[in-house]
Amino acid sequence: MTDWQAFTVDIANHVARVTLTGPGKGNAQGPDFWRELPLIFAELSANPDVRAVVLTGSGKHFSFGLDLPAIAATLAPVLAPDAKAAPRTDFLHEIRRMQASVTAVADCTKPVIAAISGWCIGGALDLIAAADIRLASADAKFSLREAKVAIVADIGSLQRLPGIIGEGHLRELAYTAKDIDAERAERIGLVNDVYPDQEAVLAAADAMAAEIAANPPLVVQGIKDVLEHRTRPAVTDGLRYVSTWNAAFLPSNDLTEAITAIFQKREPDFKGE
């Protein structure tokens, strides 16, 4: 495997462990993350020695989500007052590129188990929604945070979570942008099980991956392909719709206010403009 900037990848006994490493605080998803993620999962899909994947974060947290300061330059042209077709089209392509990065996890031919500790926010929730199975430590916290920063979540949570947690729970999390703990996450089906700490959840993920890897690999891949066939068309259609919606309507005074408030470390004052 390549030397990665935002990940480490280790393979042993037919199981690959993919670990988010930043370089932003809390493994925030910066440019290296979006560039490397699809490359890594394409390699794992093509590697016959890999039969299952464990996806986790380094340090105390899984990921703080999208690294807004790192992508501010991408947002600047489309937030300009005179932004018309060209910057909006560029922004549409950027959204779809980021969507494709996360979709590479769902499209991986090998089952992916997410082992989550600490914070899992925004884009990180998009990421674990693309995994096959989610396990958490007791200190894990989850937030579909985008509404608080004047963004319609557009990388996959709104498309994939209905089949995981159901419409009612998803709408509550999306509309309120509230934080939930591991106990609530288990109760609504976001995670399969909760373990006492990070060491325990990683051990459980490794054990589950080993159990999967002991089964006939082509049969396991066939099961995943059949399951994805059931949901893939709706997810694909939903991702295209939200990317088009955001390219048209995401630029707003409220989004500018949200970004400004983050940099000034204050509460935003939204006006609906």
Side-chain angles (χ1 to χ4, degrees):
M1 300 290 286
T2 308
D3 288 330
W4 307 102
Q5 301 303 307
F7 299 88
T8 60
V9 180
D10 300 288
I11 300 173
N13 301 318
H14 300 299
V15 174
R17 179 179 288 186
V18 179
T19 305
L20 284 68
T21 60
K25 182 180 179 182
N27 305 319
Q29 299 164 328
D32 288 333
F33 170 90
W34 300 105
R35 178 177 55 82
E36 293 177 350
L37 183 66
L39 301 177
I40 288 170
F41 276 87
E43 287 194 19
L44 295 177
S45 285
N47 187 340
D49 192 47
V50 174
R51 299 184 180 182
V53 181
V54 173
L55 176 64
T56 192
S58 61
K60 293 169 56 178
H61 302 288
F62 182 77
S63 174
F64 288 172
L66 184 65
D67 189 343
L68 277 174
I71 69 154
T74 300
L75 289 172
V78 79
L79 291 177
D82 60 346
K84 292 187 172 63
R88 290 173 186 269
T89 300
D90 290 342
F91 186 56
L92 174 66
H93 292 160
E94 182 64 15
I95 295 171
R96 290 182 176 173
R97 183 183 71 85
M98 294 167 73
Q99 289 177 342
S101 293
V102 169
T103 295
V105 177
D107 286 348
C108 181
T109 57
K110 321 300 169 59
V112 180
I113 304 165
I116 304 132
S117 298
W119 278 109
C120 178
I121 303 172
L125 195 56
D126 293 312
L127 178 60
I128 67 165
D132 295 270
I133 299 162
R134 288 150 295 280
L135 308 176
S137 59
D139 70 339
K141 295 180 181 179
F142 304 84
S143 182
L144 187 51
R145 186 72 59 86
E146 283 85 349
K148 285 188 182 294
V149 290
I151 294 174
V152 175
D154 58 7
I155 309 298
S157 288
L158 300 186
Q159 291 72 37
R160 294 188 173 97
L161 286 179
I164 298 170
I165 64 175
E167 287 283 348
H169 292 302
L170 171 58
R171 288 171 189 255
E172 177 188 350
L173 298 185
Y175 296 155
T176 64
K178 63 168 55 175
D179 305 335
I180 64 170
D181 61 15
E183 181 182 1
R184 173 79 191 277
E186 182 181 26
R187 193 162 68 248
I188 66 177
L190 179 59
V191 301
N192 288 23
D193 291 294
V194 176
Y195 298 85
D197 52 34
Q198 186 176 44
E199 182 179 358
V201 74
L202 280 171
D206 287 340
M208 185 180 292
E211 190 174 6
I212 292 169
N215 287 331
L218 296 182
V219 169
V220 172
Q221 292 171 38
I223 293 169
K224 177 164 184 175
D225 187 46
V226 170
L227 291 172
E228 290 294 323
H229 177 76
R230 177 174 53 86
T231 58
R232 188 181 295 115
V235 170
T236 300
D237 183 64
L239 288 172
R240 289 189 65 82
Y241 182 82
V242 72
S243 63
T244 303
W245 197 97
N246 269 356
F249 299 115
L250 182 67
S252 67
N253 290 340
D254 280 347
L255 178 56
T256 301
E257 166 65 9
I259 294 172
T260 302
I262 289 170
F263 281 106
Q264 294 180 354
K265 298 182 178 179
R266 60 171 174 82
E267 290 296 313
D269 181 19
F270 295 129
K271 303 293 187 183
E273 298 174 347

